[in-house]
Amino acid sequence: MACCHKLLAVTVLFAALFQATEVEGGVRFSTLERNLVVNAQIQSQNVSSGVAKVGVDSLAVQWNLNSSLEIEVDSEYASVKVKLCFAPKSQIDRGWRKTDDDLQRDNTCPKEIATKLYRSEGNFVVWRIPKNVPGGEYFVRAYVLDTQAVELAYGQNTDDAKTTNLITIIPITGRLPSIDIAGIVLSLFSVVSLCSFLLAETLLGRKPAMS
Amino acid sequence: MAPHNEHQSQGITGSPVLPVPKDVMDELSSAQATDLKGRPFALPVDSEHKAKTLRLYSFASPHMLTFHLSWISFMTCFFSTFAPPPLMPVIRDNLNFTKVDISNAAVASVSGSIISRLLMGTICDLAGPRYGCAILIMVTAPAVFCMPLVNSVTGFIMVRFFISFALATFVSCQFWMSSMFNSKIVGLANGTAAGWGNVGGGVTQLVMPLVFSLIRHQFGAEEFTAWRLAFFLPGVMHVVMGLLVLTLGQDLPDGNYAALKRSGDKVSDTFDKVFWHGVTNYRTWIFTITYGYCLGVELTVDNIIAEYFYDRFDVNLSTAGIIASTFGFMNIFARPLGGIVSDLTARRFGMRGRLWVLWIIQSLGGVFCVVLGLTHQLTSSIVVMLIFSIFVQAACGATFGVIPFISRRSLGIISGLIGAGGNVGSILTQVLFFSSSKYSSETGIMLMGVMTLACTSVLFLVYFPQWGGMLFPPNSKTTEEDYYGDEWSEEERSAGLANASYKFAANSRSERGARRAVPVSA
């Protein structure tokens, strides 16, 4: 009887483990309505460049409810999450950035710009682009969430094919002069100490044998 | 004991050859068991002064100190070669990689060592494993220090290529173990040293993300700077180990090659003869193929597994690193286990047992590789991966239970060729199954398992006349002395150059197995 209990316990444990690791599907993007109107511009020292540098430039994003919609469509809207998303050009041959209709598995939008309470108009945020954003082409998308943080609708600053109004971001290299110098110095140390050792052993060996 | 420079000594082991009967010489040797400077050995030794036991907790010079220097320096090289994969999610964003770029870099990371493993075999035969190991590890340190400076895809691929030269320390490690440890435990010694060295591939998956995290959070560095700084750790490890090997290491139980050569205790062999006898032995090529499907598969998995778990199962960088590291950590016991199983089987069944055990273990590795590719769930994937890793790594250990017996004269170059074959296998599997978007990673893993099963079957072709093969019994007319003596010409044999090989032949009679036990004196 004791062994039956143990077996049952183990079976239940395994079942629970398998259950726990089953991921429930999220909301499907294709079911969302495009009810927000989103605009994004680069705010830069160098206005005419047309590109944004991480750490230096900012993105100014505005969003509001599409005024041509019925009045009651936003009754469940609670908050808005604004995200920076990869344009198709930056997703080619990069499976880790793939777009998936299931929003829980979708990797299109890696960076969150802002999360704000929902208002139908007058929304504005300026976001300094952080230094860990990779280089590439992006667009801005805003998801509308209800009180349970489930996506209800969205808006984006580009067309459905994600080809217009794209934002080009220039990344940092991550290299520093101090890193360069340290690397060179340590490399030289390695080679020079090796050569000195070999030389010393050859020269010492030529003396009369000690024992 | 008379001064050593009065003795005529030959062969790689450098032990003196006296004009007295063999059994008297054996008794003298083991009774005195001192090195050339008259100090007694800490471990029991045989007539070649090779240790007869492996004491892992000891650091006694020369056998155990060499063991520890050898596996730690090999582990360092594995650590630096496979340091980029766990940080790949950060590096691929910094340098803007596509899938093809990552795959090309992964292929480059196992290509450099093909050339260096071949060269290292020859260097060990001619100049000694101590110089081979130390020079290589210190010359590849600048390559590791170049990784923080990389700015482009090409630069990254070049740096991974040059760092991979360091994996040739495997050859010096195995050569060193075969020179220091008796043939009855050579499988265990080789398997443990190489297994613990291969653990570097696991340690790096765990440590590099931790170091990266530390640098980011404690020092507040940007992600794209933090991964670069993390690479100073493997670089410094290279330099430290190189210096330790130079100062503390020793080529042979009786001393270093250069000193032994100067005092006449070691005769140099020539490259072309050593090379010829290595490449014309068909068994070298069979094991080159099969090693490609145990070590090769292991190297490929080291390159892809962290990204596989990160992308497929949506775990974060540190978690993917921890899961991936368990694959490498199985080497702590899996590879030595392969060596032990090989040695234990040889006691009863001799060389035929070693071959059968190798075929069974490696084929099971292929089977579990197929299963891994077909597993869709995270926890079961981890479990299957662990079982798969045990078999694949034990197969590597079992392979090196056989290799010391293929040749005595050309041990270095054969170890080098077979080690290089491991890398070629890795390149093949990476190019065939993981470089394009045609196969998903899980399909690639499954196909890799199928190819492993197919290529392992060439083991049936191996035949030792004095011991037999998997399907055929031995030829009772051929002895071990005939097999190893045939590597030397008539003139070389009569000049006494083959005496070390004959000594090895006598010690290798254990490969006949229990059923055909023969008195030791010929």
Side-chain angles (χ1 to χ4, degrees):
Chain A
M1 274 309 278
C3 74
C4 285
H5 283 153
K6 278 186 197 161
L7 195 59
L8 187 64
V10 169
T11 316
V12 169
L13 187 67
F14 264 109
L17 206 59
F18 277 103
Q19 271 294 86
T21 46
E22 281 294 329
V23 174
E24 288 174 8
V27 176
R28 304 214 141 239
F29 183 72
S30 45
T31 62
L32 297 181
E33 304 252 319
R34 190 174 170 170
N35 288 345
L36 290 186
V37 174
V38 177
N39 281 310
Q41 299 92 30
I42 301 172
Q43 281 191 350
S44 165
Q45 304 277 352
N46 185 356
V47 181
S48 59
S49 67
V51 298
K53 278 194 191 168
V54 301
V56 170
D57 298 334
S58 307
L59 286 184
V61 186
Q62 309 98 32
W63 65 95
N64 49 271
L65 188 66
N66 188 344
S67 46
S68 59
L69 294 172
E70 295 168 13
I71 309 290
E72 289 302 313
V73 74
D74 61 350
S75 55
E76 307 237 317
Y77 293 2
S79 56
V80 173
K81 196 177 277 198
V82 187
K83 289 184 165 184
L84 187 68
C85 309
F86 289 114
K89 191 173 163 209
S90 290
Q91 290 176 300
I92 298 173
D93 268 338
R94 296 178 177 92
W96 55 92
R97 295 179 182 173
K98 208 167 62 157
T99 297
D100 193 311
D101 199 39
D102 181 344
L103 285 178
Q104 284 227 354
R105 296 165 57 147
D106 181 46
N107 289 320
T108 318
C109 302
K111 299 279 177 231
E112 193 177 299
I113 294 175
T115 303
K116 303 258 184 207
L117 288 176
Y118 171 76
R119 282 186 309 187
S120 56
E121 54 186 24
N123 302 292
F124 182 79
V125 71
V126 175
W127 181 65
R128 168 75 61 90
I129 305 173
K131 288 187 179 174
N132 62 3
V133 174
E137 306 238 319
Y138 294 84
F139 64 95
V140 175
R141 180 181 285 170
Y143 288 107
V144 179
L145 310 171
D146 67 6
T147 47
Q148 309 300 318
V150 173
E151 294 86 355
L152 297 174
Y154 76 100
Q156 58 193 33
N157 77 319
T158 179
D159 60 356
D160 284 337
K162 298 179 267 187
T163 51
T164 57
N165 287 338
L166 297 178
I167 303 163
T168 306
I169 294 187
I170 308 290
I172 53 165
T173 61
R175 279 175 67 178
L176 297 172
S178 49
I179 295 181
D180 293 357
I181 295 172
I184 294 172
V185 165
L186 285 168
S187 304
L188 282 174
F189 173 74
S190 180
V191 173
V192 167
S193 56
L194 174 70
C195 293
S196 324
F197 239 104
L198 294 177
L199 196 65
E201 286 204 347
T202 321
L203 290 175
L204 280 174
R206 290 213 190 104
K207 287 189 194 165
M210 291 201 288
S211 64
Chain B
M1 191 169 150
H4 57 257
N5 47 17
E6 281 187 353
H7 295 168
Q8 186 71 37
S9 308
Q10 281 93 22
I12 299 173
T13 57
S15 302
V17 174
L18 303 164
V20 292
K22 187 183 180 310
D23 47 351
V24 175
M25 184 174 77
D26 276 355
E27 220 183 270
L28 267 176
S29 259
S30 43
Q32 291 168 309
T34 59
D35 61 18
L36 289 167
K37 292 192 179 145
R39 296 178 300 224
F41 287 116
L43 273 64
V45 294
D46 65 10
S47 59
E48 292 176 279
H49 289 182
K50 294 185 185 178
K52 292 201 279 198
T53 60
L54 187 70
R55 280 190 207 146
L56 295 174
Y57 49 81
S58 160
F59 279 80
S61 176
H63 306 96
M64 290 317 300
L65 186 59
T66 302
F67 174 82
H68 290 295
L69 282 173
S70 194
W71 79 259
I72 296 178
S73 45
F74 181 41
M75 193 207 75
T76 304
C77 296
F78 239 95
F79 187 99
S80 57
T81 303
F82 293 103
L87 296 179
M88 199 55 82
V90 179
I91 303 176
R92 68 189 180 191
D93 275 346
N94 190 183
L95 302 176
N96 212 19
F97 287 159
T98 61
K99 180 168 182 179
V100 171
D101 296 330
I102 298 177
S103 157
N104 287 342
V107 167
S109 76
V110 293
S111 310
S113 68
I114 294 179
I115 309 162
S116 62
R117 282 182 177 198
L118 296 172
L119 290 174
M120 181 61 99
T122 317
I123 294 174
C124 284
D125 280 325
L126 303 176
R130 172 177 156 257
Y131 274 172
C133 178
I135 292 173
L136 184 65
I137 205 173
M138 293 188 84
V139 156
T140 44
V144 183
F145 289 122
C146 276
M147 185 61 92
L149 279 57
V150 155
N151 229 351
S152 65
V153 172
T154 323
F156 185 74
I157 294 175
M158 296 293 296
V159 169
R160 282 205 83 183
F161 176 72
F162 285 114
I163 295 178
S164 79
F165 276 68
L167 285 183
T169 38
F170 166 73
V171 177
S172 64
C173 177
Q174 300 289 279
F175 187 96
W176 227 343
M177 295 299 98
S178 304
S179 306
M180 287 280 179
F181 293 93
N182 175 270
S183 49
K184 288 208 185 81
I185 56 162
V186 75
L188 174 66
N190 273 338
T192 312
W196 290 6
N198 280 28
V199 164
V203 173
T204 193
Q205 313 266 7
L206 190 66
V207 168
M208 290 302 280
L210 285 177
V211 170
F212 169 76
S213 242
L214 192 79
I215 295 174
R216 265 197 74 206
H217 296 121
Q218 294 301 109
F219 298 106
E222 284 303 325
E223 279 183 21
F224 293 171
T225 303
W227 78 262
R228 295 170 185 275
L229 288 170
F231 270 86
F232 280 92
L233 174 65
V236 167
M237 281 165 70
H238 269 238
V239 176
V240 167
M241 283 318 299
L243 291 173
L244 284 176
V245 165
L246 277 174
T247 48
L248 302 175
Q250 189 177 314
D251 290 313
L252 294 164
D254 297 327
N256 286 320
Y257 274 28
L260 293 171
K261 275 186 208 171
R262 270 196 298 277
S263 54
D265 292 311
K266 184 191 176 322
V267 166
S268 321
D269 209 339
T270 55
F271 170 69
D272 46 336
K273 295 224 176 70
V274 160
F275 183 78
W276 177 253
H277 288 289
V279 301
T280 50
N281 191 330
Y282 77 95
R283 300 167 196 85
T284 306
W285 301 105
I286 293 183
F287 284 100
T288 305
I289 296 173
T290 62
Y291 199 56
Y293 289 91
C294 51
L295 182 82
V297 164
E298 186 186 330
L299 294 179
T300 299
V301 172
D302 276 335
N303 260 329
I304 60 140
I305 198 77
E307 248 187 309
Y308 176 72
F309 279 100
Y310 181 88
D311 289 332
R312 184 155 191 229
F313 297 107
D314 262 333
V315 294
N316 69 27
L317 199 70
S318 298
T319 310
I322 293 171
I323 299 173
S325 70
T326 54
F327 177 82
F329 277 122
M330 300 307 271
N331 259 308
I332 295 178
F333 68 88
R335 189 162 174 152
L337 192 63
I340 292 172
V341 170
S342 183
D343 286 340
L344 286 178
T345 316
R347 280 195 213 169
R348 177 88 205 276
F349 299 107
M351 177 57 69
R352 299 183 76 183
R354 287 192 195 263
L355 292 170
W356 270 103
V357 142
L358 173 58
W359 179 78
I360 291 171
I361 294 177
Q362 193 159 317
S363 301
L364 282 172
V367 165
F368 280 100
C369 189
V370 172
V371 173
L372 179 64
L374 297 172
T375 310
H376 299 300
Q377 212 268 338
L378 177 62
T379 356
S380 0
S381 260
I382 298 177
V383 171
V384 173
M385 182 194 73
L386 291 175
I387 301 175
F388 160 60
S389 70
I390 294 176
F391 283 108
V392 148
Q393 290 156 10
C396 295
T399 306
F400 273 84
V402 177
I403 285 171
F405 298 101
I406 298 177
S407 159
R408 189 68 199 94
R409 189 173 188 183
S410 310
L411 173 66
I413 195 135
I414 287 177
S415 298
L417 275 168
I418 293 173
N423 287 58
V424 172
S426 181
I427 293 177
L428 262 175
T429 49
Q430 281 178 143
V431 166
L432 285 174
F433 306 126
F434 298 103
S435 62
S436 75
S437 307
K438 193 164 56 158
Y439 301 121
S440 61
S441 293
E442 49 271 28
T443 315
I445 291 175
M446 186 202 68
L447 292 173
M448 185 166 70
V450 171
M451 196 169 182
T452 303
L453 282 166
C455 291
T456 306
S457 53
V458 297
L459 280 173
F460 283 97
L461 300 173
V462 175
Y463 182 75
F464 287 90
Q466 72 277 28
W467 298 318
M470 279 173 82
L471 299 172
F472 300 107
N475 174 351
S476 53
K477 290 192 279 279
T478 319
T479 65
E480 288 80 1
E481 280 79 4
D482 294 331
Y483 180 80
Y484 292 109
D486 278 345
E487 295 186 310
W488 303 86
S489 66
E490 272 299 327
E491 306 87 58
E492 287 168 334
R493 269 180 265 163
S494 46
L497 293 173
N499 288 344
S501 288
Y502 285 134
K503 201 177 304 196
F504 178 75
N507 284 329
S508 74
R509 242 184 281 284
S510 52
E511 295 309 302
R512 293 186 181 205
R515 282 186 242 161
R516 291 172 58 226
V518 170
V520 171
S521 49

